[in-house]
Amino acid sequence: MKTWDLTLQSLCKTFEGHFKVGAILSHNDFDDAELIAMYKHHYNAVTAENAMKPEYISKAPGVYYFDYADMIVDFAEKNDMMMVGHTLVWHAQSAKWLNRNEDDTVLTRAEAKTNLEAFIKEYAGRYSGRIHSWDVINEAFTDKNDEPYTGNWRDYLRRDTPNPKAVGHWYLAYENGADASKGESGADYVFDAFYFARKYDPKAILYFNEYNEEFNHKCVAITDMVNDINEQWRKHPEYDNRLLVEGIGMQSHHNHKDTKPEKIRAAFERFSKTGAVISITEMDLTFGSAENPAVPMSPEDAQTQKELYIELFKIYIEYSKYIERITFWGLNDRDSWRAWGSPLFFDIEDRAKDVFYEVIKLA
Ligand code: GLA
């Protein structure tokens, strides 16, 4: 039996003046009035958990499905919440037609560009003026960290790799027909994606969103990419006196072993200097592992989780002038995609954990 306590202090009201507080939402959540009441109580920023991923929006050329996305965007609008469009360009959960042939070979650069524009026009264009910010590109970079940084962010973009789920088909298609003598490469899809997003939804803030974003080379590559794309935009004939990449999304899928607050702080230092705003876009913080679930949490783990969340929120508050929002990737430990790790502020029975009470004190 689900029981949300609506007498709790509201998360988003608590952090008003610092940043918005958001969470994910699915179309079937609308069937649960109590859950929706809780959502409105705690959150003022909305990200669709799945409904707005490319594969749910379009499975074939010219075929678009917007019903679930419409429900979520309407809800955000009606309740005066910040609506996040997640996501336009991603190597995962995206239909083949965008950048591949039926036999899995990649399209040519010209074909991929045509499809990229058609997709963004149809999708971002439909919601133009109603989306606060788009995650224009999600997870473009690899986790390559061993060698010294090459100095070129393009070297870290996903491309071919033995793991079929990790292949960067946008890169490969844009490479297929690129003229290196003109300086063209697979990396050009990055500029185009942001350019088309600006063109078809000019009011929205355009984000680049990434995981493990605080890790060494990725953190540097993201920063260099943002600066480079914005520099390219400044010289573009259609330059509109705005940055093209105006936001950096730190997914913040943390875990107690690898997450180091000083790295997060260093990432804020780097990212904030680009002039882009920052959001924590998919926050959770796991314990244990899928094989060794932290459910129920031991008192020691709960204590460590609380301390780590507190450290992170102290940093968020310190950098809050750069931060638009903190979004949690889940509503409770029961339904989280990483439920094995008890990663959120609310437990498997929707009760606020100690960490909730301690974190709100920081505001
Ligand atoms: C990534 C994506 C999200 C979501 C999570 C896992 O972080 O950006 O959309 O798929 O993985 O659920």
Side-chain angles (χ1 to χ4, degrees), residues 49 53 86 90 93 138-139 209 251 253 282 329 337:
E49 180 169 20
K53 291 176 175 175
H86 175 77
W90 192 15
Q93 293 191 265
N138 195 29
E139 305 180 339
N209 195 44
Q251 288 192 1
H253 289 301
E282 306 187 13
W329 204 261
W337 71 302

Side-chain angles (χ1 to χ4, degrees), residues 222-290:
I222 294 170
T223 310
D224 288 354
M225 181 274 282
V226 171
N227 287 330
D228 199 64
I229 296 292
N230 284 333
E231 190 50 39
Q232 240 176 287
W233 181 232
R234 232 168 266 128
K235 296 181 195 139
H236 195 277
E238 289 161 61
Y239 177 57
D240 56 2
N241 288 306
R242 276 168 67 188
L243 299 178
L244 189 57
V245 187
E246 277 178 319
I248 298 176
M250 302 171 68
Q251 288 192 1
S252 311
H253 289 301
H254 292 306
N255 72 72
H256 75 288
K257 277 197 242 99
D258 304 320
T259 296
K260 302 280 177 269
E262 62 279 8
K263 282 204 169 173
I264 314 278
R265 177 188 297 281
F268 276 118
E269 281 297 320
R270 262 187 210 285
F271 294 158
S272 60
K273 293 200 177 77
T274 63
V277 293
I278 300 169
S279 282
I280 304 301
T281 55
E282 306 187 13
M283 184 158 208
D284 50 17
L285 169 44
T286 55
F287 274 70
S289 63

Side-chain angles (χ1 to χ4, degrees), residues 310-327:
I310 289 171
E311 275 194 78
L312 294 176
F313 268 81
K314 280 188 179 157
I315 297 176
Y316 300 158
I317 290 167
E318 190 185 328
Y319 285 88
S320 62
K321 70 170 179 190
Y322 301 107
I323 303 181
E324 282 201 308
R325 78 186 146 91
I326 312 282
T327 291

